[in-house]
Amino acid sequence: MDLCQINERVCKGCELCVKFCPQHALEMSEGRNSAGFHPAYLAHPDLCTGCALCAEMCPEAGIVVYRRQKARASQTQTG
Amino acid sequence: MSTIIERPGTQTPEGLNCVFEKPRAMSDKPFHYCPGCSHGTYHRLVGEMIDEFDLMSRTVGVCPVGCAVFAYEYFEFDMVEASHGRAPAVATGVKRCLPDRFVFTYQGDGDLASIGMAETIHAAARGENITVFFVNNGIFGMTGGQMAPTSLIGQKTTTSQAGRDPMLTGQPIKVCELLSSLDGVAYLARVPLSSPKNIKTCRKYMRNAVRCQLEGKGFALVEALSPCPVQWGMTPGDAIDYIDEKVVKVFPPGEFINKLND
């Protein structure tokens, strides 16, 4: 599953997430959403580190970011 | 403090932690703002503050007139709609009647610095125990891009088409500098919403402003320098750069007053 999930329904294509992504993992889609904007999408999921800078800049609060649980943290939880 | 917000009902997949999500204090309705407008960012920060301090059940917000006039649509707590510029006066009434509530106003520069300047100054001078979240984009966005008191010198708007002329319309009003001379003000800060780092700083300032009210210190105001890409005639990316290049030179960011530790 992608770490960065963009809600295409609310995206207005301002490109701020693309501008501030340090890994250049996001791109603007060729297609349009229901409001007529070109939404951003995660073009290179392997580059995404889950830093959440795109979500921090998104004016629509339309990005959910997950991060993988660290192995050490899961060990302390189980142990 | 972290920004981890779990929305009830949504399920985080196994093996992953949710590190960023829309705050619980906000509704799922899409914003009506233009692409790249920082109102949405500032709304989200307000929602994060309500979540973080667990104020959902005892918050009363006051909406302005301006672009953010429909702010009550986007929050799950109660909000009052004030007349143009009168939000601090309405908030004063709410706070004095219900002192245990968290009362904040959300105002733009046309509302707070133009028609509502008297209400703002007198609420600050009285040291009303309210929090003001102020969005300064240097233009009247909703009515079609007219010149605001906070427009920069030389800025082209629909009512100053050759650029703002200081001989004709004076210098921009710096709200934080203006209010910093008043003794009733407990917290005063300004920050541009131009990068993830500055948004984190804004969150820190807003946290202080909320604490000011909860600890009964007095009037608190946080000014966010926001882009208005459509009325400035720029792309959202260029508008963000314009804030860092031009706007912060006229409106220097920083904490002006902090009486939290007094």
Side-chain angles (χ1 to χ4, degrees):
Chain A
M1 206 193 83
D2 294 343
L3 295 179
C4 160
Q5 304 217 332
I6 299 172
N7 185 348
E8 290 191 0
R9 190 175 64 93
V10 300
C11 180
K12 289 180 186 150
C14 69
E15 302 188 21
L16 290 183
C17 53
V18 177
K19 181 180 164 89
F20 282 94
C21 177
Q23 302 291 330
H24 309 289
L26 301 168
E27 281 177 18
M28 301 311 288
S29 154
E30 291 290 320
R32 294 173 193 268
N33 63 12
S34 58
F37 296 110
H38 296 287
Y41 75 108
L42 186 60
H44 309 288
D46 49 318
L47 294 178
C48 180
T49 59
C51 68
L53 293 190
C54 54
E56 194 80 86
M57 285 311 291
C58 180
E60 310 302 322
I63 302 182
V64 181
V65 182
Y66 300 104
R67 213 171 283 173
R68 288 192 188 84
Q69 285 167 0
K70 285 180 186 167
R72 193 183 297 165
S74 61
Q75 275 173 9
T76 52
Q77 277 169 9
T78 51
Chain B
M1 285 187 224
S2 66
T3 56
I4 296 174
I5 297 152
E6 298 274 356
R7 179 175 282 244
T10 56
Q11 289 188 333
T12 305
E14 199 161 328
L16 298 178
N17 284 331
C18 184
V19 290
F20 204 101
E21 213 174 9
K22 202 169 184 180
R24 269 172 300 166
M26 301 194 73
S27 67
D28 284 333
K29 190 165 181 164
F31 296 124
H32 71 276
Y33 303 112
C34 309
C37 174
S38 284
H39 266 300
T41 312
Y42 211 36
H43 277 22
R44 193 194 73 224
L45 293 173
V46 172
E48 284 180 13
M49 288 304 118
I50 305 300
D51 280 2
E52 197 175 301
F53 288 88
D54 199 16
L55 295 167
M56 185 77 165
S57 58
R58 58 187 187 102
T59 297
V60 181
V62 184
C63 297
V65 170
C67 287
V69 66
F70 294 128
Y72 52 81
E73 298 267 1
Y74 308 126
F75 293 110
E76 297 283 9
F77 46 79
D78 291 336
M79 295 197 86
V80 186
E81 179 66 55
S83 310
H84 199 185
R86 274 58 178 168
V90 174
T92 299
V94 175
K95 186 67 182 177
R96 287 190 179 192
C97 294
L98 303 165
D100 61 325
R101 301 298 196 276
F102 173 71
V103 183
F104 75 88
T105 71
Y106 183 100
Q107 296 178 268
D109 56 333
D111 189 78
L112 183 142
S114 182
I115 191 168
M117 188 53 112
E119 278 75 10
T120 308
I121 289 183
H122 284 283
R126 292 193 304 270
E128 293 295 343
N129 196 19
I130 58 172
T131 305
V132 177
F133 297 125
F134 171 35
V135 182
N136 180 1
N137 56 14
I139 206 160
F140 284 96
M142 187 182 81
T143 49
Q146 288 85 1
M147 194 191 76
T150 45
S151 296
L152 306 186
I153 296 299
Q155 184 177 336
K156 285 183 184 170
T157 66
T158 51
T159 48
S160 60
Q161 294 182 355
R164 182 173 181 172
D165 178 9
M167 300 306 289
L168 188 68
T169 53
Q171 299 283 336
I173 296 178
K174 301 173 183 174
V175 173
C176 282
E177 282 85 346
L178 187 73
L179 295 179
S180 60
S181 64
L182 299 171
D183 293 332
V185 181
Y187 191 79
L188 210 52
R190 180 191 285 140
V191 60
L193 294 176
S194 59
S195 68
K197 174 177 173 285
N198 286 335
I199 289 175
K200 283 186 167 56
T201 310
C202 183
R203 192 178 283 125
K204 187 177 87 181
Y205 290 167
M206 289 170 82
R207 204 172 278 142
N208 288 344
V210 173
R211 273 183 58 207
C212 254
Q213 180 175 158
L214 297 179
E215 293 170 16
K217 302 279 185 188
F219 188 88
L221 183 144
V222 178
E223 172 177 354
L225 300 176
S226 154
C228 183
V230 170
Q231 304 296 5
W232 288 359
M234 299 176 189
T235 65
D238 291 346
I240 290 272
D241 295 338
Y242 180 81
I243 291 185
D244 281 338
E245 286 163 17
K246 298 273 178 67
V247 180
V248 295
K249 299 221 167 76
V250 181
F251 297 104
E255 272 183 324
F256 291 79
I257 295 179
N258 186 351
K259 293 184 183 167
L260 263 177
N261 298 320
D262 288 359

